[in-house]
Amino acid sequence: MSEKILIIGGVAAGPKTACRLKRLNPEAQITIIDQDSLISYGGCGIPYYVSGDVSDEKELRSTSFHAVRDEQFFEDAKGVSVFTRTRAQSIDRKNKTVKTLNLDTNTEEDLPYDKLVIATGCQPNKIPIPGADLAGVFMISDLHQAVAIKEQLAKGQVGKAVVIGGGPIGIEMAESFADLWGIETTIIELMPQILPRAVDKVYASMLSHHLEKNGVAVKISEMVKTIEQSGSSYTVTTDQQSYEADIIIMAVGVRPRSDLAKNAGLLVSPMGGIVVNERLQTTDPDIYSAGDCIETTNLVSGTKGQSPFGSLANRQGRVVADNLAGIPSIFPGVVNSFIMKAFDVCIGCTGYSLDSALAEGYDADQVITAQSDRAHFFPAQTVIPLQMVFDKRTRQVLGFQGFGPMSDAVLARLDAAAALIGKGATVEDFINLEMAYAPPFATALDALNATANVAENSLAGRLRTVDFDNFLTWMDNPSTQPEWQALDIRHPNESQLFKDQFGDQWLPIPYVEIRKRAKEIPTNKTMVIICDAGTRSYEIQCFLDSIGNPNSLVLGGGFNIIRRISVDWWPTK
Amino acid sequence: MSEKILIIGGVAAGPKTACRLKRLNPEAQITIIDQDSLISYGGCGIPYYVSGDVSDEKELRSTSFHAVRDEQFFEDAKGVSVFTRTRAQSIDRKNKTVKTLNLDTNTEEDLPYDKLVIATGCQPNKIPIPGADLAGVFMISDLHQAVAIKEQLAKGQVGKAVVIGGGPIGIEMAESFADLWGIETTIIELMPQILPRAVDKVYASMLSHHLEKNGVAVKISEMVKTIEQSGSSYTVTTDQQSYEADIIIMAVGVRPRSDLAKNAGLLVSPMGGIVVNERLQTTDPDIYSAGDCIETTNLVSGTKGQSPFGSLANRQGRVVADNLAGIPSIFPGVVNSFIMKAFDVCIGCTGYSLDSALAEGYDADQVITAQSDRAHFFPAQTVIPLQMVFDKRTRQVLGFQGFGPMSDAVLARLDAAAALIGKGATVEDFINLEMAYAPPFATALDALNATANVAENSLAGRLRTVDFDNFLTWMDNPSTQPEWQALDIRHPNESQLFKDQFGDQWLPIPYVEIRKRAKEIPTNKTMVIICDAGTRSYEIQCFLDSIGNPNSLVLGGGFNIIRRISVDWWPTK
């Protein structure tokens, strides 16, 4: 039973494997090596350390009972040996040893193992452009970088920042710069939206608008070409313009750190993930792997990919420990649940966005709703736009997105959705899902159920919606689209401003008067029915269909969505 | 297609059926009748109306766009006829008519139907005791009662209130009395805990303690015997004592309103629920039923029961409408998700409590955890005690309970749990459930996953816990239990007070020193290992097992649970 277990990597999956295994098999001799001096930290907390929410980097590597997780802690509390500043250079699978280099003493050593665990994580991508290596360009790769960034900020000499990359880390860093330090911050993203692939464009637009409202400039579809230094400041030049900056963050994604595995002859995917089976064994049965460095299986599609999330690393570490202890646990796969805070809002998704589902080959469609998170008479209620992505043929729910205020309202719907999506659930499963209800927490028909109902209406062909991009194009220049007309069914207080602005292209008839005034609605035009949430519009669409006026389209989510994105044509008094 | 659809009941399931059906089949002639003058209201909002959070009862029967849902609204906006103050007296199934009585004109009429929907809801139970019908005794049966209660309060003559029944409605009413009106309020519950059957005793105790802290007296195991009036005030006498009150709420559960169905020869369960199939058809295929009046199927056990929740009534109404329109929808069953606010906390559950699971015949067990709702370094983090109930043989998760602050943190875990429980999920499914993670929303290993991990440790026999009742009994009189000793592994700052109070029965050894000081731990006693959450205690239990000291027990959830209930023995400086 006194097996030698060697673990390469001491941040998340590695320590989790070690500690769990020591509990399961107290006689195991467990050693963790890591090339860094700091281990077992919560890397996802770095933006909160930089912002100042977390005052000391030690808090990011402390337990909930305030013990710092350093080598001594692992030795005393866990019975696990840790060697930091120790780099694994190569694996000799035949003799079952790992050649290590002590980065302080420069001495090499061959560490023997019975079972090996590779938990080498990921490394940030660097764009190969001139200036990428300049001193003012930081990557969010480890705690040392975070400390260096914060020291720079604390000197008070940072007035402007550029963040290259509109992914989660870039956005969180931009918030910490702008919110806590008052730095003029610009995000530059290569793709035509921030959070590309993760969420669809409407969701990215809602987030962009909120960032802009809070002073963060968001530039999309711009490619950074060069970074130049001039004294203590820098110029970031894109294919379109130049930006001054005192500090630059490069956060353009990560890739698995798998060279060690590859050089040892283990199978590594084309994308660089270490290939493992469900028990997280590599192609060498004596070597396991877990964390950001492995290839994962998508539970929705079966597709292989990478899922660099600290939460998954912890789950995977537990599975490795189980298998090393003889418990046949499996890690079945991922749905890629994601949530983030940005100033006063949160945004999250699970499964596939519409874009990524279509790219995956699904016959996919989506609906968007704008329902309240709790009873409309409850003081704190607010609208949380939810989107459901589904397969039109199988009715399988492929993904789910949410946007809302900084509370756990979106989280609740997201986690419930993830639970079902991971089980291959259909739209009907979501309709029947029993969400807990009381007025302070939800509406009688929860927003998640309501979204599934809307998806069912869409699948049945009863609900026909206008594509957001089409609608926005039309509204940017309505007079060029004579075949379309808006049917605004909101209260006259709300619709009159639009009628004043858009004249004959805007037909305001309040919802409760539609049945009486149906003859006023043209039958030779595509009526775009507009309300605040889309719900009433759908009712009116059903009614128009029933009276032989079948050409209407509904603006899904209604003006609650439009208000959350930036448009030029919004009327003002 | 122009079928006559008659719907009896206009609160939740009835209107939902009507509106959905009118959209699916615009030619249907749909009529709702209700004996009340007020319809389509959110009954769950009554406590918030009484408290003053909701200023006008109209808000409880308004749409999110502030239209009052009265007869005119249904006619104009929905194309549905509504007759209020119209009681259904009997059903003539042969001739397909319903005999109605207009309560204003006292005229009878036979209304014909092609399809009938019974949505008669439930009625509150009344304890058959002297005084139950006195003017000062209110039931929360409809909006009129709510208005009458609020009028009484507004007169300013209510100083003391007694609430008979410690279920959700009683507790919510007690909060509204005490919190907003400053009324001295007492809850009297017959069973040995509040929220009986729904949650287990530890959870009821946490809630009771919070109610008491906020000025609501909670009396359990007391049977109300009489209510007597003296002038404008009342005396409520139990089998143990008497209470003065200016107003009395009787909230002792509800029962299905199914006499109409029963008298028409439809099958009604022994508990009074109208028996329906998955398509919500009664034993007469032309008669459907939905809402609080029907019998439901528990998705965990298959057992039949009642589930009087407004949220389910809405779902069921949709299913009835679908089937009436020829869409073969089903309502598979319930998991009985439940959540409520009480002052600054929320409490919720889904599936079975341990007590009810054991009563159902399961070989059930439970674990309780005290994990943070978000990253421990994130400012707003707090502990949310979670409990998982599972079957020891099949590993199926039978139920889940949560307690926490007034946020959606518990809701998020509850809804995700309900999604899985409804699918017959096992502990392993919960371990692998991918909860969304970012430090402002969760811990890297979410509290729900952590609870499942603890359940797995318990199932494997590695985690052995002390029963809470046993522990509390011991602590009430520790010197009588020489075979037990506490091993307090918290920081000396925390453990010293207890050592001072309990002397030799309290052995404080900090967590990180256990491995070095293991010889100080007696082997001839049952060591009860105590920390704040139970996590460290479990580690120490594994370690003690490994050194041949296998008699320890862990206090699951640790002092985070104890602090949330009221105990006499807590040391004070």
Side-chain angles (χ1 to χ4, degrees):
Chain A
M1 286 289 279
S2 177
E3 273 192 322
K4 281 192 175 63
I5 310 292
L6 182 60
I7 299 172
I8 305 171
V11 177
K16 178 71 192 182
T17 302
C19 296
R20 165 88 173 162
L21 179 57
K22 191 69 186 177
R23 291 190 289 270
L24 297 175
N25 181 2
E27 290 176 34
Q29 296 175 47
I30 305 174
T31 303
I32 300 174
I33 63 172
D34 198 295
Q35 59 183 354
D36 202 336
S37 59
L38 304 177
I39 56 164
S40 196
Y41 56 83
C44 303
I46 287 177
Y48 305 96
Y49 164 70
V50 170
S51 73
D53 282 330
V54 175
S55 56
D56 191 324
E57 58 82 18
K58 283 195 180 68
E59 289 181 56
L60 297 182
R61 49 194 183 95
S62 295
T63 67
S64 58
F65 47 92
H66 309 296
V68 175
R69 290 188 298 258
D70 56 13
E71 299 91 317
Q72 195 66 47
F73 172 81
F74 277 93
E75 187 68 46
D76 292 346
K78 307 287 188 179
V80 169
S81 301
V82 179
F83 299 106
T84 57
R85 300 278 296 156
T86 301
R87 178 177 292 160
Q89 295 190 293
S90 61
I91 302 168
D92 179 345
R93 286 166 51 197
K94 195 172 162 213
N95 293 306
K96 298 181 98 172
T97 58
V98 172
K99 188 177 290 296
T100 64
L101 175 68
N102 184 308
L103 298 175
D104 293 322
T105 62
N106 215 31
T107 49
E108 287 190 338
E109 192 177 352
D110 287 321
L111 294 183
Y113 67 81
D114 295 309
K115 293 282 192 302
L116 180 66
V117 180
I118 302 177
T120 41
C122 61
Q123 54 196 330
N125 293 325
K126 186 182 279 189
I127 319 175
I129 52 168
D133 292 316
L134 290 170
V137 182
F138 292 88
M139 321 254 275
I140 311 301
S141 53
D142 56 39
L143 272 187
H144 303 283
Q145 291 270 309
V147 171
I149 292 168
K150 196 161 179 181
E151 279 174 1
Q152 181 103 336
L153 298 178
K155 286 181 195 153
Q157 290 160 350
V158 177
K160 292 182 178 182
V162 162
V163 175
I164 304 172
I169 293 174
I171 295 167
E172 285 175 347
M173 290 304 295
E175 180 192 359
S176 74
F177 284 172
D179 196 29
L180 274 295
W181 296 89
I183 296 167
E184 195 182 318
T185 304
T186 303
I187 295 174
I188 303 174
E189 166 61 45
L190 175 67
M191 305 292 284
Q193 65 166 77
I194 56 173
L195 297 180
R197 287 175 298 276
V199 302
D200 287 306
K201 201 175 161 190
V202 172
Y203 277 76
S205 297
M206 291 191 279
L207 180 59
S208 283
H209 186 50
H210 187 75
L211 291 170
E212 298 262 7
K213 276 202 294 182
N214 284 278
V216 173
V218 179
K219 307 292 175 182
I220 53 175
S221 304
E222 277 194 45
M223 180 184 282
V224 176
K225 293 292 207 179
T226 62
I227 304 171
E228 289 165 295
Q229 183 167 8
S230 152
S232 68
S233 78
Y234 299 84
T235 304
V236 178
T237 303
T238 72
D239 53 359
Q240 295 178 39
Q241 53 196 308
S242 289
Y243 303 87
E244 300 303 306
D246 304 304
I247 193 169
I248 296 152
I249 303 293
M250 191 179 285
V252 292
V254 296
R255 63 182 190 281
R257 202 181 259 129
S258 55
D259 284 351
L260 187 71
K262 194 173 186 177
N263 293 339
L266 301 178
L267 189 61
V268 170
S269 79
M271 299 291 290
I274 300 172
V275 174
V276 290
N277 63 17
E278 282 199 321
R279 293 171 71 166
L280 302 184
Q281 262 170 325
T282 69
T283 43
D284 179 335
D286 289 327
I287 306 181
Y288 288 75
S289 187
D292 294 354
C293 54
I294 68 168
E295 184 188 61
T296 54
T297 303
N298 190 299
L299 289 173
V300 178
S301 62
T303 304
K304 302 293 182 178
Q306 265 75 51
S307 302
F309 295 114
S311 51
L312 297 177
N314 272 284
R315 285 172 182 74
Q316 291 159 4
R318 192 178 203 271
V319 171
V320 171
D322 280 2
N323 283 291
L324 288 173
I327 301 169
S329 289
I330 62 165
F331 180 80
V334 301
V335 290
N336 292 319
S337 283
F338 158 77
I339 193 163
M340 73 177 291
K341 168 188 183 295
F343 296 98
D344 307 318
V345 301
C346 89
I347 187 168
C349 60
T350 183
Y352 285 104
S353 65
L354 179 63
D355 283 350
S356 55
L358 291 170
E360 196 68 34
Y362 284 103
D363 186 14
D365 201 354
Q366 61 81 32
V367 293
I368 190 166
T369 60
Q371 302 283 315
S372 289
D373 60 349
R374 57 206 83 229
H376 68 86
F377 55 77
F378 201 77
Q381 75 86 23
T382 186
V383 165
I384 47 169
L386 301 179
Q387 190 190 51
M388 185 170 282
V389 178
F390 47 86
D391 184 89
K392 285 192 271 186
R393 190 176 57 81
T394 63
R395 308 173 80 89
Q396 185 186 1
V397 175
L398 306 172
F400 182 79
Q401 294 164 59
F403 183 87
M406 241 322 282
S407 74
D408 295 339
V410 168
L411 179 75
R413 281 74 194 185
L414 201 62
D415 283 340
L420 285 187
I421 286 173
K423 291 279 177 196
T426 63
V427 168
E428 279 63 36
D429 290 313
F430 276 78
I431 288 174
N432 287 318
L433 171 60
E434 190 175 324
M435 303 289 281
Y437 166 59
F441 302 96
T443 48
L445 193 73
D446 188 82
L448 179 55
N449 300 119
T451 306
N453 288 348
V454 172
E456 192 274 334
N457 291 332
S458 172
L459 281 165
R462 284 186 303 274
L463 170 66
R464 303 175 305 277
T465 56
V466 60
D467 181 81
F468 251 94
D469 275 345
N470 282 351
F471 178 72
L472 294 175
T473 304
W474 173 48
M475 291 301 290
D476 281 338
N477 204 348
S479 61
T480 62
Q481 306 285 345
E483 72 274 20
W484 284 24
Q485 195 175 2
L487 175 60
D488 188 337
I489 61 171
R490 296 173 303 158
H491 192 276
N493 288 351
E494 299 165 296
S495 57
Q496 189 58 47
L497 270 180
F498 290 78
K499 172 72 183 163
D500 293 346
Q501 175 145 332
F502 295 105
D504 285 347
Q505 290 200 277
W506 208 264
L507 177 60
I509 303 180
Y511 164 72
V512 290
E513 296 176 16
I514 290 276
R515 283 171 191 270
K516 283 183 212 147
R517 297 173 54 187
K519 286 186 179 153
E520 296 174 37
I521 302 169
T523 53
N524 60 347
K525 294 197 175 185
T526 299
M527 303 305 294
V528 178
I529 315 174
I530 298 174
C531 62
D532 267 328
T535 320
R536 283 176 286 173
S537 297
Y538 162 65
E539 284 188 40
I540 300 308
Q541 186 171 58
C542 291
F543 173 69
L544 292 180
D545 284 0
S546 78
I547 59 167
N549 191 349
N551 298 318
S552 64
L553 295 174
V554 166
L555 180 65
F559 273 5
N560 264 312
I561 306 299
I562 303 291
R563 266 192 294 273
R564 282 168 173 75
I565 62 183
S566 179
V567 293
D568 294 329
W569 45 265
W570 196 266
T572 46
K573 279 179 194 170
Chain B
M1 285 290 279
S2 176
E3 273 192 323
K4 282 193 176 64
I5 310 294
L6 182 59
I7 298 171
I8 305 171
V11 177
K16 178 72 192 179
T17 302
C19 297
R20 164 88 173 161
L21 179 57
K22 191 70 186 177
R23 292 191 288 271
L24 297 176
N25 181 4
E27 291 176 34
Q29 295 176 49
I30 306 174
T31 303
I32 299 175
I33 62 173
D34 198 295
Q35 60 183 355
D36 202 336
S37 58
L38 304 177
I39 55 165
S40 196
Y41 57 83
C44 303
I46 287 177
Y48 304 97
Y49 164 70
V50 170
S51 73
D53 283 330
V54 175
S55 56
D56 191 325
E57 57 83 17
K58 284 196 181 65
E59 288 181 58
L60 296 182
R61 51 195 182 95
S62 295
T63 68
S64 59
F65 48 92
H66 309 297
V68 176
R69 291 188 298 258
D70 56 15
E71 299 92 316
Q72 194 67 47
F73 173 81
F74 277 93
E75 187 69 45
D76 293 346
K78 307 287 187 180
V80 169
S81 301
V82 179
F83 299 105
T84 57
R85 300 278 298 156
T86 302
R87 178 177 292 160
Q89 295 189 292
S90 61
I91 302 168
D92 179 345
R93 286 166 52 196
K94 197 175 161 208
N95 294 305
K96 297 179 102 172
T97 59
V98 172
K99 187 177 291 299
T100 65
L101 175 69
N102 183 308
L103 298 175
D104 293 322
T105 62
N106 215 30
T107 49
E108 287 192 338
E109 192 178 353
D110 286 322
L111 294 183
Y113 68 81
D114 294 310
K115 293 283 192 301
L116 180 67
V117 180
I118 301 177
T120 41
C122 63
Q123 55 196 330
N125 292 326
K126 186 182 278 189
I127 318 175
I129 51 169
D133 291 316
L134 290 170
V137 182
F138 293 89
M139 321 254 274
I140 311 301
S141 53
D142 56 40
L143 271 188
H144 304 284
Q145 291 271 307
V147 170
I149 292 168
K150 197 163 177 180
E151 278 173 3
Q152 181 103 336
L153 298 179
K155 286 181 194 155
Q157 290 160 349
V158 176
K160 291 182 180 181
V162 162
V163 175
I164 304 173
I169 294 175
I171 294 167
E172 285 175 346
M173 291 303 295
E175 180 192 0
S176 74
F177 285 172
D179 196 29
L180 274 296
W181 296 89
I183 295 167
E184 195 181 320
T185 305
T186 302
I187 296 174
I188 304 174
E189 166 61 47
L190 175 67
M191 305 291 284
Q193 65 166 77
I194 56 173
L195 296 180
R197 287 175 298 276
V199 301
D200 287 306
K201 200 174 163 191
V202 172
Y203 277 76
S205 298
M206 291 192 280
L207 180 59
S208 283
H209 186 50
H210 187 74
L211 290 170
E212 298 261 7
K213 276 202 294 183
N214 283 278
V216 173
V218 179
K219 306 292 175 180
I220 52 175
S221 303
E222 277 194 44
M223 180 185 280
V224 175
K225 292 293 205 179
T226 62
I227 305 172
E228 289 165 295
Q229 183 167 8
S230 149
S232 67
S233 77
Y234 299 84
T235 304
V236 177
T237 303
T238 72
D239 52 359
Q240 295 179 38
Q241 53 196 308
S242 288
Y243 303 87
E244 300 302 305
D246 303 303
I247 193 169
I248 296 153
I249 303 292
M250 191 178 286
V252 292
V254 295
R255 63 182 190 281
R257 202 182 258 128
S258 55
D259 284 351
L260 186 71
K262 193 172 186 178
N263 293 338
L266 301 178
L267 190 61
V268 170
S269 79
M271 298 291 289
I274 299 172
V275 174
V276 289
N277 62 19
E278 281 198 324
R279 294 172 69 167
L280 302 184
Q281 262 170 324
T282 68
T283 43
D284 179 335
D286 289 328
I287 306 181
Y288 288 76
S289 186
D292 293 356
C293 54
I294 68 168
E295 184 188 60
T296 54
T297 304
N298 191 299
L299 289 173
V300 178
S301 62
T303 304
K304 303 294 183 178
Q306 265 76 50
S307 302
F309 295 115
S311 51
L312 297 178
N314 273 283
R315 285 174 181 73
Q316 291 159 3
R318 192 177 202 272
V319 171
V320 171
D322 280 2
N323 284 291
L324 288 174
I327 301 170
S329 289
I330 62 165
F331 180 81
V334 301
V335 291
N336 293 319
S337 282
F338 158 76
I339 193 163
M340 72 176 293
K341 169 188 182 296
F343 295 98
D344 307 319
V345 300
C346 88
I347 187 168
C349 59
T350 184
Y352 285 104
S353 65
L354 179 63
D355 283 349
S356 54
L358 292 170
E360 196 67 34
Y362 284 102
D363 186 15
D365 201 355
Q366 61 81 31
V367 294
I368 190 166
T369 62
Q371 302 283 314
S372 289
D373 59 351
R374 55 205 86 229
H376 69 85
F377 55 78
F378 201 76
Q381 75 85 24
T382 187
V383 165
I384 47 169
L386 301 180
Q387 189 191 51
M388 185 170 282
V389 178
F390 47 86
D391 184 271
K392 285 192 272 186
R393 190 176 57 80
T394 64
R395 307 173 79 89
Q396 185 186 1
V397 175
L398 306 172
F400 182 78
Q401 294 165 60
F403 183 87
M406 241 321 282
S407 74
D408 295 339
V410 168
L411 180 76
R413 280 75 194 184
L414 200 61
D415 283 340
L420 285 186
I421 286 174
K423 292 278 178 197
T426 63
V427 167
E428 279 64 33
D429 290 313
F430 277 78
I431 289 174
N432 287 317
L433 172 60
E434 191 177 324
M435 303 289 280
Y437 167 59
F441 302 95
T443 48
L445 193 72
D446 188 82
L448 179 54
N449 300 119
T451 307
N453 287 348
V454 172
E456 191 274 332
N457 290 332
S458 171
L459 280 165
R462 284 186 302 273
L463 170 66
R464 302 175 306 278
T465 56
V466 60
D467 182 80
F468 251 93
D469 276 344
N470 282 352
F471 178 73
L472 294 176
T473 305
W474 173 49
M475 291 301 289
D476 281 337
N477 204 349
S479 61
T480 62
Q481 306 285 343
E483 74 274 19
W484 285 25
Q485 194 175 3
L487 175 60
D488 188 337
I489 62 171
R490 296 173 303 157
H491 192 276
N493 289 350
E494 300 166 296
S495 57
Q496 188 59 47
L497 270 180
F498 289 78
K499 172 71 184 165
D500 293 346
Q501 174 145 333
F502 295 104
D504 284 347
Q505 290 199 277
W506 209 263
L507 175 61
I509 303 179
Y511 164 71
V512 290
E513 296 176 15
I514 291 278
R515 283 172 191 270
K516 283 184 213 148
R517 297 172 55 186
K519 286 188 179 150
E520 297 174 35
I521 302 168
T523 53
N524 59 347
K525 294 197 176 185
T526 298
M527 302 306 294
V528 178
I529 315 174
I530 299 174
C531 63
D532 266 329
T535 321
R536 283 177 286 173
S537 296
Y538 162 65
E539 284 188 40
I540 300 309
Q541 186 171 59
C542 291
F543 172 70
L544 292 180
D545 283 0
S546 79
I547 60 167
N549 191 348
N551 299 317
S552 63
L553 296 174
V554 166
L555 180 65
F559 273 6
N560 264 311
I561 307 299
I562 303 291
R563 265 192 295 272
R564 284 167 172 76
I565 61 182
S566 180
V567 293
D568 294 329
W569 45 265
W570 197 266
T572 46
K573 279 179 196 171

